[in-house]
Amino acid sequence: MSLNLFSLSRSTYCPYPAHRQGGSALVIGIFVITVMFLLAAALINIVEDADTGLTQEVWGTRALAAANSGADAALAQLFPLNAAANFTPTCASVSNTWTPPAVVGFHACSVGLSCSAYSVGAITQYRINSTAVCESGETRVSRQVEVEARG
């Protein structure tokens, strides 16, 4: 009486242990692929957040430079270099807006100016407020600079 190995079903006899674990390799493979997909999705979100932060930082720097330049322009209007010796500065000489030059750093920026005068004893002080707004698509950044001068 000989034992015929081919007549037995696989569920009752399998000479190779690896054949019994074939389904678990598939489950482990799917698990590893799922974990890798989740890690890749998390990495993409981190990179997008970093990109958004960098964009806002660049536009914030542009807006600050535009606000500083607007304040400088307002000071130049308030205290012109070629003014007469008896010139009295007034806020009326300061415009409400300053148009930045058409260069890359000031692209898509607008600057609003305001000037107010007040007296401290016999001295007149001037407060210049420069607000710059730079925007591109969904990104909009505003920076404000305040300068005080006396004449």
Side-chain angles (χ1 to χ4, degrees):
M1 178 149 137
S2 69
L3 180 64
N4 187 355
L5 294 178
F6 296 107
S7 66
L8 296 175
S9 67
R10 282 203 149 198
S11 62
T12 58
Y13 178 76
C14 183
Y16 305 109
H19 288 284
R20 286 181 267 155
Q21 297 176 0
S24 65
L26 179 63
V27 171
I28 291 172
I30 290 173
F31 176 75
V32 169
I33 290 172
T34 304
V35 168
M36 295 300 284
F37 173 75
L38 291 174
L39 287 174
L43 184 62
I44 288 171
N45 285 336
I46 290 170
V47 169
E48 284 179 1
D49 289 346
D51 186 42
T52 301
L54 180 64
T55 300
Q56 289 178 344
E57 186 176 335
V58 168
W59 282 98
T61 303
R62 287 181 176 189
L64 182 60
N68 282 330
S69 297
D72 289 345
L75 284 171
Q77 293 171 1
L78 188 62
F79 302 106
L81 292 176
N82 57 359
N86 60 354
F87 175 76
T88 304
T90 63
C91 281
S93 62
V94 177
S95 64
N96 292 332
T97 60
W98 177 70
T99 304
V103 295
V104 175
F106 292 128
H107 174 72
C109 294
S110 61
V111 180
L113 302 171
S114 67
C115 177
S116 59
Y118 56 95
S119 295
V120 178
I123 300 174
T124 302
Q125 298 232 147
Y126 301 93
R127 180 176 294 141
I128 294 174
N129 191 341
S130 174
T131 304
V133 176
C134 297
E135 55 190 321
S136 172
E138 294 180 5
T139 303
R140 183 172 191 225
V141 180
S142 175
R143 295 290 185 265
Q144 183 174 352
V145 173
E146 188 173 273
V147 178
E148 292 191 6
R150 60 180 166 179

